[in-house]
Amino acid sequence: MKNELKRIEKLYLDGLLFEDCDEGEAGGYWDLAGTIADDLVDCQKDEIKHEQLWTGIYQVFQKVLVRGEKFE
């Protein structure tokens, strides 16, 4: 996962990561959120929790990193 984070970080810092190119298998936030969810929850044992975690992490990335919103 460390290499994945570094790759995403580079895309973000270079301004090359946009919401419209962030789809499955595109190597963007969606894939990173999935990688993190994979590390935290075994999809085979709890598919619903895995999916919820994946989606939740992705939504945070979208809100904070893509849209620049801040949590209060």
Side-chain angles (χ1 to χ4, degrees), residues 5-17 29 65:
L5 287 170
K6 286 291 184 188
R7 191 178 57 70
I8 296 292
E9 177 184 32
K10 181 169 178 16
L11 288 172
Y12 178 73
L13 292 174
D14 291 346
L16 299 174
L17 189 57
Y29 294 128
L65 300 175

Side-chain angles (χ1 to χ4, degrees), residues 8-67:
I8 296 292
E9 177 184 32
K10 181 169 178 16
L11 288 172
Y12 178 73
L13 292 174
D14 291 346
L16 299 174
L17 189 57
F18 302 101
E19 191 171 11
D20 60 346
C21 71
D22 190 33
E23 300 172 359
E25 304 299 319
Y29 294 128
W30 179 251
D31 293 334
L32 177 59
T35 300
I36 294 169
D38 290 346
D39 285 349
L40 297 174
V41 176
D42 184 350
C43 182
Q44 300 299 321
K45 292 183 180 177
D46 197 342
E47 186 176 346
I48 293 171
K49 185 183 282 186
H50 181 269
E51 184 73 25
Q52 289 173 335
L53 184 61
W54 187 340
T55 303
I57 292 169
Y58 177 71
Q59 288 173 346
V60 170
F61 288 155
Q62 287 295 297
K63 185 173 182 94
V64 175
L65 300 175
V66 175
R67 297 185 192 114

